[in-house]
Amino acid sequence: MQNAIKTQRTYYIGAALLALIAAVLRTLSLTLTFDRASGYFTASALPLLFRAFWGCSLIALVLFPILALKGRIPSKRAALSPFSTCGACLCALLLFLNFVCSCTMQPTGLPIMLWIIGLLAILFGIVYFILQTPFLKAGATTHAVFGSLTILAFACLIAFTYFDIGTPMNAPHKTDLHMALLAVMLYLLYELRAKADISRPLALTACGAVAFFLTATVGLSDVVAYLAGAFTDPVYFAQDLLLLALAIYIGARSMADAALSNKN
């Protein structure tokens, strides 16, 4: 029974369940206790419950692979599945949407050179996700170059909203979005290590679960809140949609790896 629980599959299913619960709690917090004028939650029990659950979930997702999955994860990754290909295509499409929205934004407070670098990096990021599909083939070096530029692209997306003076610096819409994008950057780093045959499977597994949890939770709840009228900025909305696409991509790749691990 213990061996059946200590598997990648169980771990990822647990991450998905935690993400669903956290997304519901955050959606309720944004729709019922969010003050649009200030950009913060009002003083009530619901946001506190969400934050407590959010923090405990992240701790559990970090500790479980360390305590239960050491030596149980193969270094070889699974081949691309149809769901992974779909997720990669969605990421490329939503990155293009972010490119368009970023082109039309007014970079108040954002250094112009950083804005230009970010736009160029986003275009390279689009290519990277196309490389994750069967439609375009490339070697490990090409993946490394475009993957590194994709990490830069996500760093620049963080900068685009970091310098936004219309949203308070520590408002939940901004800080949670940044946490999710930082988790994606860390996941991509270990994905690139796997492509270069210097894999760290335990770290990749943990980063994949944490990145999925954050992107799914923040992306889903922010999109619902945007449709409900809590948010109005199209730049944030484009990034929230990108989080959902990243959740699909990371989740599909992770579950394919888990299926391969079960076969071994």
Side-chain angles (χ1 to χ4, degrees):
M1 182 65 179
Q2 275 191 334
N3 289 336
I5 294 174
K6 295 180 179 180
T7 63
Q8 272 184 290
R9 184 174 182 274
T10 302
Y11 176 54
Y12 288 134
I13 290 174
L17 291 174
L18 292 175
L20 178 60
I21 297 170
V24 170
L25 290 174
R26 191 171 187 274
T27 300
L28 292 174
S29 298
L30 288 171
T31 54
L32 299 178
T33 68
F34 183 73
D35 182 13
R36 286 183 58 184
S38 67
Y40 296 96
F41 294 122
T42 57
S44 59
L46 191 55
L48 292 176
L49 176 62
F50 160 67
R51 286 303 181 194
F53 183 82
W54 167 281
C56 291
S57 298
L58 287 173
I59 292 172
L61 290 174
V62 171
L63 290 181
F64 184 87
I66 297 173
L67 299 175
L69 297 180
K70 276 189 175 180
R72 295 173 175 268
I73 306 171
S75 58
K76 182 182 178 182
R77 299 203 72 186
L80 284 170
S81 68
F83 292 109
S84 302
T85 300
C86 178
C89 291
L90 285 174
C91 288
L93 180 63
L94 269 300
L95 268 177
F96 179 73
L97 175 64
N98 275 268
F99 174 78
V100 174
C101 290
S102 299
C103 283
T104 59
M105 70 183 291
Q106 296 180 351
T108 305
L110 176 68
I112 296 297
M113 185 56 65
L114 180 58
W115 180 55
I116 294 172
I117 291 173
L119 293 177
L120 293 174
I122 291 173
L123 293 177
F124 287 116
I126 294 171
V127 177
Y128 174 76
F129 282 107
I130 295 176
L131 288 174
Q132 309 315 305
T133 70
F135 312 127
L136 194 62
K137 300 292 184 181
T141 302
T142 303
H143 277 275
V145 171
F146 281 95
S148 299
L149 291 170
T150 304
I151 294 175
L152 174 63
F154 284 118
C156 290
L157 286 177
I158 291 174
F160 289 174
T161 50
Y162 178 85
F163 286 98
D164 169 39
I165 60 175
T167 304
M169 189 58 66
N170 58 343
H173 194 193
K174 180 178 287 189
T175 56
D176 293 352
L177 174 63
H178 291 177
M179 280 185 63
L181 290 174
L182 285 169
V184 171
M185 291 167 62
L186 194 58
Y187 168 79
L188 288 176
L189 176 63
Y190 284 104
E191 182 171 81
L192 291 176
R193 285 182 62 97
K195 290 181 182 297
D197 292 328
I198 47 175
S199 179
R200 297 287 296 274
L202 191 66
L204 177 62
T205 299
C207 290
V210 169
F212 172 81
F213 173 80
L214 291 173
T215 53
T217 299
V218 178
L220 181 60
S221 55
D222 276 358
V223 168
V224 173
Y226 186 94
L227 296 177
F231 305 131
T232 57
D233 193 322
V235 174
Y236 282 88
F237 185 55
Q239 292 193 21
D240 291 329
L241 290 173
L242 175 60
L243 291 184
L244 290 180
L246 288 164
I248 294 172
Y249 172 74
I250 295 171
R253 294 231 61 184
S254 298
M255 287 306 294
D257 289 341
L260 179 65
S261 177
N262 286 344
K263 290 178 182 178
N264 295 335

